[in-house]
């Protein structure tokens, strides 16, 4: 018998056990073969009612984030929860269109997805419903529910609870949740996906990505090292091509973006789709993940759409992470009114590609076998997750994407008027306004334009400069000593029809070797052949050597692709740039990964022409200010150009810390103690004094001197009758126990020696002999307690 069949039988057995439950639900025993859905089993569950007490809050049904509305097609986590100390043995969960009876397939809305097959399954006699796999005590149950498509109206989620012999089912209250369809934030955005687009012409958009994944907003376990967004990859495409979607499986290209942050394979997959793709969308990686907009501009890219390719998708990896990404999937930019969407603003939460089973940002590589479907991350996924919230709240968005229409081309067939600044598609950019330099500013002529910063068909910039010779009115500022304009490498200009126009290089392919030295290649293609019909001789493919790990052994580690190079540190002339990558899998033998994770190299910007602030090169660093330990060192440079040509705000001196070998530290000793009492009461003896080591010598400092000293002492000669035992005089007590040396004193035996005051380096011990009885005939000063002291643990530490 299936588990669902057992569940149905459990309900019938409960009736035999309790006439109250039978009368409450109206169940009658039927043969199992007749208790099918066609027999109205689903609607019979819906009609089952119990005599629950009002106001009982033992059980409740919750949708993650407690939304009041649902987004069509979105996936939500649905939970049935028992408050402590309550529990339940079984449950049933359904989703109905509001007002439906539940006796037809079309009455049910959305689709449930089982999270744990050992906990839940679909009910055999009522396939739209979810029930327990085996009856047992439990306090919660969770499943996914995907909302129905747009136009489904309001939805009622209902749960029933089996607790001991009582079955609860609520039409109102905490076991029922009503959700209505969420209205679109943008009136001209159509339902997703729009099967056919009726718009005319084409539209041009700019997509801008604002990452707000930062330690301030997402503080739990935030990775302070190597946090970044990978290079963004996407496309404008037709409905016949899916880059990624919730509920689907990640392609190899999506997997490489999700796990390694590499867009190479994804770009290959996109370009192989031919006419299904109109524009490939690419943006550079961001290291670190977050910086203020006044420090680093948000990355953006432009793309176009047309009637057949009116969807837009993209993705980017949240790094480091197992396989977490954000992005848009099949965002439709075509409207029902046969026009183009003006603007889309969407907050993004991370999603799981289903290829790696890690639960934290820096979990070790753990492939998911078999591969899971792509799904959004939730706040209840795992207690170790950085997004975990025991209350099940919504995840704070980690990014926002803005898609804005910037132009339209061709004749538009919709009658909706455009903004005045919208019709700019084919209009050439107007010439710059006349120079508005104040007459009080006297400049030199402009220098020649520098070479373009890009030697390929990627966009670059070139610069020219001029000097301010005189400023006749100091109250009027003199701007414009530098001028920049965009440019591309030789043969890439649209105006240069006599040469080949090449595309930008496609990103380097993965290295052919997973360990050691291999090769990689990249390609580009001819965008425009020369008008004179000549053949393009520029290369369309480049190959170079690559090294993943220098040595292939158990100590090798898996690293991600290199991130994009940072911008050059200089705006003109020679500067430096850097790029980073992260360790994806540490060495198998547990050793430290030896792969480089940071590269720095020189970069050349357009030549720096003579400007008012012209500086000499930095001098060599001075000697460190100290001969040992931590100090400072400096370097200087001088102003070469005359001061009267303008004020220079560049720093002329730099100071940095320097570290020399640690300074020697001499041994530090405490003061000597007082000399101890003589260890003999008569005859020759000795006395000692000690001191302690307060600070051990370090880094070659002076060693520690002696810690114990002794000297001879002699109090008086021993009397007759006193012997020597173990080097000490002995006393023979009389019959009454009197000490012969102190007649009339009766003494107790010597006490045990005390613990040594030090474990090494010389300590002391003491023992006492106490007076037991004093006699009246004895002078009190001669009858007193005695103490002996001796050295101990004199060996050096």
């Amino acid at each position: 018998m299936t588990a669902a069949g057992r569940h149905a039988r459990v309900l019938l057995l409960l009736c035999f056990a309790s006439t109250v439950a039978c009368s409450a639900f109206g169940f009658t025993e039927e043969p199992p073969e007749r208790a099918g859905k066609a027999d109205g089993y689903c609607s019979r569950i819906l009609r089952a009612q119990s005599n629950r007490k009002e106001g009982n809050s033992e059980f409740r049904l919750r949708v993650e984030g407690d939304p009041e509305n649902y987004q069509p097609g979105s996936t939500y986590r649905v939970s049935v929860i028992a408050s402590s100390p309550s529990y339940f043995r079984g449950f049933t969960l359904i989703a109905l269109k509001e007002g439906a009876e539940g006796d037809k397939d079309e009455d049910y809305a959305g689709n449930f997805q089982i999270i744990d097959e050992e906990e839940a399954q679909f009910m055999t006699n009522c396939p739209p419903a979810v029930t327990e796999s085996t009856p047992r005590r439990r306090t919660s149950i969770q499943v996914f529910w995907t909302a129905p498509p747009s136009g489904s109206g309001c939805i009622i989620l209902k749960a029933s609870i089996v607790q001991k012999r009582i079955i609860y089912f609520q039409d109102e209250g905490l076991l029922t949740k009503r959700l209505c369809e969420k209205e679109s934030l943008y009136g001209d955005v159509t339902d997703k996906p729009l099967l056919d687009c009726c718009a005319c012409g084409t539209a041009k958009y700019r997509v801008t990505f604002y990452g707000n994944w930062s330690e301030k907003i997402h503080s739990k376990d935030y990775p302070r090292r190597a946090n970044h967004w990978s290079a963004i990859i996407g496309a404008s495409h037709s409905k016949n091509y899916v880059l990624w979607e919730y509920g689907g499986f990640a392609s190899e290209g999506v997997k490489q973006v999700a796990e390694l942050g590499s867009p190479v394979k994804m770009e290959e997959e996109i370009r192989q789709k031919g006419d299904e793709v109109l524009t490939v969308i690419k943006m550079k990686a961001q290291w670190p993940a977050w910086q203020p907009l006044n420090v680093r501009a948000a990355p953006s890219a432009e793309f176009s759409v047309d009637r057949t390719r009116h969807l837009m998708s993209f993705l980017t990896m949240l790094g480091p992470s197992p396989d977490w990404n954000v992005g848009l999937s099949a965002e439709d930019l075509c409207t029902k009114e046969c026009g183009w969407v003006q603007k889309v603003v969407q907050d993004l939460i991370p999603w799981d590609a289903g290829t790696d089973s890690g639960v934290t940002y820096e979990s070790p590589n753990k492939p998911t076998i078999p591969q899971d479907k792509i799904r959004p991350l939730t706040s209840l996924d795992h207690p170790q997750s950085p997004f975990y919230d025991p209350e099940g709240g919504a995840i704070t968005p980690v990014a926002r994407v803005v898609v804005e229409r910037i132009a339209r081309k061709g004749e538009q067939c919709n009658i909706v008027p455009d903004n005045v600044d919208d019709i700019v598609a084919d209009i050439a950019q107007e010439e710059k306004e006349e120079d508005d330099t104040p007459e009080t500013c006297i400049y030199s002529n402009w220098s020649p334009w520098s070479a373009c910063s890009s030697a390929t068909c990627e966009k670059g910039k070139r610069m020219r400069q001029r000097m301010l010779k005189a400023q006749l009115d100091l109250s009027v500022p003199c701007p414009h000593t530098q001028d920049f304009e965009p440019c591309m490498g030789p043969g890439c200009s649209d105006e240069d029809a006599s040469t080949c126009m090449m595309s930008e290089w496609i990103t380097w392919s993965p290295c052919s070797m997973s360990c050691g030295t291999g090769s990689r290649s990249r390609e580009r293609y001819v965008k425009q052949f020369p008008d004179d019909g000549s053949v393009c001789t520029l290369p369309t493919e480049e190959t170079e050597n690559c090294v993943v790990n220098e040595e292939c052994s158990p100590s090798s580690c898996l690293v991600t692709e290199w991130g994009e190079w940072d911008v050059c540190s200089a705006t003109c002339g020679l500067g430096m740039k850097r790029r980073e990558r992260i360790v994806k899998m540490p060495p198998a033998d547990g050793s430290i990964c030896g792969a480089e994770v940071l590269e720095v190299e020189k970069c050349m910007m357009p030549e720096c022409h003579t400007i008012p602030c012209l500086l000499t090169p930095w001098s060599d660093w001075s000697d460190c200010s100290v001969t040992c330990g931590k100090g400072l060192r400096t370097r200087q440079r001088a102003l070469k150009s005359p001061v009267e040509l303008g004020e220079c705000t560049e720093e002329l001196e730099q100071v940095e810390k320097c570290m020399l070998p640690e300074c020697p530290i001499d041994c530090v000793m405490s003061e000597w103690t007082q000399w101890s009492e003589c260890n003999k009461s008569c005859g020759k003896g000795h006395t000692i004094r000690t001191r302690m080591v307060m600070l051990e010598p370090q880094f070659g400092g002076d060693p520690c001197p002696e810690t114990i000293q002794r000297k001879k002492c002699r109090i008086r000669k021993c009397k007759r009758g006193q012997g020597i035992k173990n080097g000490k005089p002995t006393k023979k007590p009389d019959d009454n126990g009197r000490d012969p040396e102190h007649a009339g004193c009766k003494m107790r035996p010597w006490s045990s020696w005390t613990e040594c005051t030090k474990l090494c380096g010389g300590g002391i011990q003491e023992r006492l002999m106490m007076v037991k009885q004093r006699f009246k005939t004895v002078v009190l000063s001669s009858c007193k307690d005695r103490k002996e002291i001796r050295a101990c643990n004199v060996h050096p530490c």
Side-chain angles (χ1 to χ4, degrees):
M1 180 185 294
T2 65
R6 289 197 302 271
H7 178 71
R9 185 166 291 277
V10 166
L11 298 179
L12 295 174
L13 291 175
L14 287 170
C15 290
F16 289 120
S18 173
T19 56
V20 176
C22 290
S23 60
F25 285 86
F27 284 141
T28 58
E29 185 179 11
E30 297 182 11
E33 62 271 10
R34 293 185 57 194
K37 187 183 176 189
D39 215 14
Y41 188 79
C42 282
S43 58
R44 184 169 61 186
I45 293 176
L46 293 173
R47 288 193 296 271
Q49 297 293 322
S50 70
N51 299 322
R52 287 216 64 198
K53 293 181 180 180
E54 293 298 326
N56 194 311
S57 59
E58 294 176 79
F59 311 103
R60 67 185 179 119
L61 182 151
R62 184 178 182 188
V63 179
E64 181 180 9
D66 295 324
E68 296 182 358
N69 306 96
Y70 67 86
Q71 183 74 40
S74 295
T75 300
Y76 301 87
R77 187 185 293 262
V78 178
S79 306
V80 179
I81 304 169
S83 59
S84 180
S86 299
Y87 64 90
F88 56 94
R89 297 182 181 276
F91 74 97
T92 304
L93 187 62
I94 58 173
L96 279 175
K97 294 180 181 177
E98 190 172 36
E101 295 296 329
D103 51 3
K104 301 185 296 293
D105 285 338
E106 54 268 27
D107 290 351
Y108 296 86
N111 298 290
F112 287 107
Q113 179 182 341
I114 305 299
I115 297 178
D116 187 349
E117 294 183 354
E118 294 184 359
E119 289 286 339
Q121 65 175 6
F122 291 104
M123 186 178 287
T124 303
N125 294 338
C126 181
V130 177
T131 188
E132 77 280 353
S133 295
T134 55
R136 65 175 182 82
R137 292 169 63 114
R138 50 173 58 85
T139 58
S140 65
I141 193 75
Q142 298 177 359
V143 296
F144 286 128
W145 175 70
T146 302
S150 180
S152 300
C154 295
I155 305 301
I156 307 295
L157 288 165
K158 293 185 176 185
S160 67
I161 292 295
V162 179
Q163 185 194 35
K164 297 181 180 178
R165 297 181 178 180
I166 304 172
I167 303 175
Y168 299 122
F169 195 94
Q170 281 191 246
D171 276 334
E172 302 292 342
L174 298 180
L175 285 176
T176 297
K177 178 76 174 178
R178 180 176 182 267
L179 297 174
C180 292
E181 183 177 345
K182 186 176 182 180
E183 295 182 3
S184 173
L185 294 175
Y186 317 101
D188 53 358
V189 179
T190 58
D191 303 329
K192 293 197 332 184
L194 185 66
L195 297 180
D196 294 303
C197 177
C198 56
C200 300
T202 62
K204 189 175 183 180
Y205 286 87
R206 178 182 294 112
V207 54
T208 307
F209 182 84
Y210 299 93
N212 60 353
W213 176 52
S214 65
E215 187 173 11
K216 181 178 180 181
I217 300 176
H218 303 87
S219 56
K220 183 182 178 185
D221 300 333
Y222 187 80
R224 297 186 178 183
R225 178 181 171 275
N227 58 80
H228 70 285
W229 294 104
S230 73
I232 296 173
I233 184 70
S236 58
H237 56 93
S238 72
K239 59 185 175 62
N240 297 324
Y241 174 44
V242 177
L243 273 77
W244 71 273
E245 64 177 347
Y246 290 133
F249 289 98
S251 66
E252 183 60 30
V254 172
K255 178 181 178 181
Q256 287 197 14
V257 174
E259 293 190 20
L260 303 176
S262 170
V264 178
K265 185 64 177 179
M266 189 77 246
E267 185 174 353
E268 291 178 2
E269 291 178 354
I270 292 173
R271 294 190 184 278
Q272 288 171 0
K273 291 299 176 179
D275 292 339
E276 302 295 335
V277 172
L278 182 58
T279 309
V280 178
I281 299 171
K282 296 169 63 176
M283 288 178 260
K284 290 185 177 181
Q286 300 176 77
W287 297 75
W290 185 87
Q291 283 185 334
L293 293 178
N294 61 351
V295 176
R296 181 183 67 201
S300 63
E302 296 178 2
F303 66 94
S304 298
V305 291
D306 60 17
R307 177 179 290 191
T308 59
R309 294 158 293 189
H310 51 94
L311 305 178
M312 176 267 196
S313 303
F314 80 89
L315 70 159
T316 176
M317 173 200 183
L318 190 78
S321 72
D323 59 346
W324 300 341
N325 289 240
V326 298
L328 290 180
S329 174
E331 185 70 28
D332 199 340
L333 301 175
C334 188
T335 70
K336 293 179 179 178
E337 294 78 20
C338 302
W340 299 109
V341 173
Q342 180 66 39
K343 187 175 183 179
V344 174
V345 180
Q346 186 70 47
D347 288 323
L348 305 176
I349 63 170
W351 47 268
D352 190 311
T355 61
D356 192 294
S357 300
V359 296
T360 65
Y361 288 125
E362 299 180 274
S363 292
N365 194 41
K366 186 180 179 183
T368 302
I369 302 174
Q371 186 173 329
D372 284 341
K373 294 180 179 179
I374 296 174
R375 65 170 184 86
L377 293 180
T378 74
S379 61
L380 293 173
D381 283 334
H382 194 281
Q384 294 180 8
S385 166
F387 304 106
Y388 181 72
D389 178 3
E391 296 296 323
I395 291 179
T396 303
V398 297
R400 170 174 288 184
V401 63
V402 178
V403 183
E404 295 181 275
R405 191 179 75 198
I406 57 176
R408 299 198 306 185
K409 296 182 181 180
E411 182 180 354
Q412 303 298 313
C413 48
N414 67 322
I415 60 174
V416 180
D418 294 301
N419 296 329
V420 174
D421 59 350
D422 188 40
I423 312 297
V424 295
D426 296 317
I427 302 176
Q429 186 177 6
E430 296 181 3
E431 293 293 328
K432 290 187 177 180
E433 297 180 1
E434 293 294 326
D435 189 356
D436 57 354
T437 302
E439 296 180 355
T440 57
C441 300
I442 309 300
Y443 292 95
S444 67
N445 292 329
W446 285 107
S447 69
W449 285 105
S450 67
C452 189
S453 62
S454 172
T456 67
C457 289
E458 294 183 358
K459 289 183 179 180
K461 61 181 179 180
R462 61 179 184 169
M463 179 182 68
R464 62 178 183 174
Q465 298 180 338
R466 60 181 177 179
M467 292 178 57
L468 178 63
K469 290 184 174 181
Q471 187 174 357
L472 304 180
D473 185 352
L474 296 178
S475 64
V476 178
C478 293
H480 309 315
T481 57
Q482 291 184 336
D483 191 19
F484 295 89
E485 72 174 16
C487 60
M488 290 188 291
C492 297
S493 172
D494 294 331
E495 300 174 357
D496 191 355
S498 63
T499 57
C500 292
M501 182 175 176
M502 307 297 293
S503 72
E504 62 186 34
W505 287 103
I506 298 173
T507 315
W508 288 104
S509 66
C511 195
S512 61
M513 300 293 290
S514 59
C515 186
T517 303
S519 62
R520 64 177 185 172
S521 62
R522 65 177 182 175
E523 300 175 348
R524 63 179 177 179
Y525 56 91
V526 179
K527 294 178 67 175
Q528 179 179 314
F529 287 90
D531 290 343
D532 57 10
S534 59
V535 178
C536 287
T537 58
L538 295 174
T540 58
E541 184 175 358
E542 283 186 349
T543 303
E544 70 174 17
N545 292 335
C546 53
V547 178
V548 179
N549 283 300
E550 286 75 6
E551 55 181 61
C552 304
S553 66
S555 62
S556 300
C557 49
L558 178 65
V559 294
T560 64
E561 294 280 333
W562 284 107
E564 296 287 339
W565 287 105
D566 289 343
V567 295
C568 193
S569 61
T571 56
C572 66
L574 182 64
M576 303 297 291
K577 62 181 181 179
R578 53 179 278 167
R579 65 177 181 175
E580 297 181 16
R581 62 182 177 181
I582 60 176
V583 177
K584 184 65 177 176
M585 182 188 296
D589 60 3
S591 61
I592 298 175
C593 181
E596 294 292 335
V597 294
L598 174 66
E599 277 191 351
V600 180
E601 70 174 28
K602 297 178 182 179
C603 51
M604 178 62 74
M605 298 298 287
E607 181 182 356
C608 297
H609 295 278
T610 303
I611 56 177
C613 189
L614 189 59
L615 301 166
T616 64
W618 284 107
S619 66
D620 293 332
W621 285 105
S622 68
D623 293 333
C624 199
S625 60
V626 296
T627 57
C628 60
K630 297 179 181 178
L632 299 174
R633 63 177 186 170
T634 60
R635 65 176 183 175
Q636 295 83 24
R637 60 182 175 180
L639 184 66
K640 291 174 64 175
S641 56
V643 178
E644 61 268 14
L645 291 181
E647 181 181 357
C648 181
T649 59
E650 298 287 341
E651 61 178 346
L652 300 178
E653 184 177 43
Q654 286 184 341
V655 180
E656 73 172 16
K657 296 178 181 179
C658 51
M659 185 70 184
L660 293 178
E662 293 286 353
C663 299
I665 299 176
D666 297 335
C667 178
V668 178
M669 306 291 294
S670 69
E671 295 293 328
W672 287 105
T673 63
Q674 296 294 324
W675 287 100
S676 68
E677 293 183 7
C678 193
N679 69 328
K680 299 286 183 65
S681 59
C682 64
K684 295 180 180 180
H686 68 266
T687 179
I688 63 172
R689 67 175 180 176
T690 62
R691 59 180 174 180
M692 295 187 299
V693 176
M694 304 296 291
L695 179 64
E696 295 285 351
Q698 299 181 50
F699 312 116
D702 292 339
C704 294
E706 61 182 351
T707 59
I708 184 169
Q709 287 182 345
R710 68 176 67 199
K711 66 180 181 179
K712 296 179 180 180
C713 58
R714 181 171 181 173
I715 299 177
R716 50 186 165 79
K717 291 183 178 181
C718 295
K719 294 180 180 180
R720 299 180 71 181
Q722 291 182 327
I724 301 297
K725 183 179 181 181
N726 294 331
K728 299 177 183 179
T730 61
K731 298 174 283 294
K732 300 178 181 179
D734 60 12
D735 296 337
N736 295 324
R738 296 181 178 86
D739 186 350
E741 183 180 355
H742 303 288
C745 289
K746 193 170 185 179
M747 308 298 290
R748 297 181 185 274
W750 283 106
S751 67
S752 299
W753 288 104
T754 61
E755 292 288 336
C756 193
T757 57
K758 295 180 64 176
L759 297 176
C760 59
I764 58 176
Q765 290 176 294
E766 296 180 352
R767 69 173 182 173
L768 296 173
M769 176 184 285
M770 307 294 291
V771 175
K772 185 176 182 181
Q773 183 178 358
R774 291 184 176 88
F775 295 92
K776 295 180 180 180
T777 58
V778 179
V779 180
L780 294 179
S781 61
S782 65
C783 188
K784 58 182 180 181
D785 297 338
R786 298 182 55 212
K787 180 171 69 172
E788 281 192 352
I789 299 175
R790 70 178 182 184
C792 57
N793 293 340
V794 294
H795 56 277
C797 294

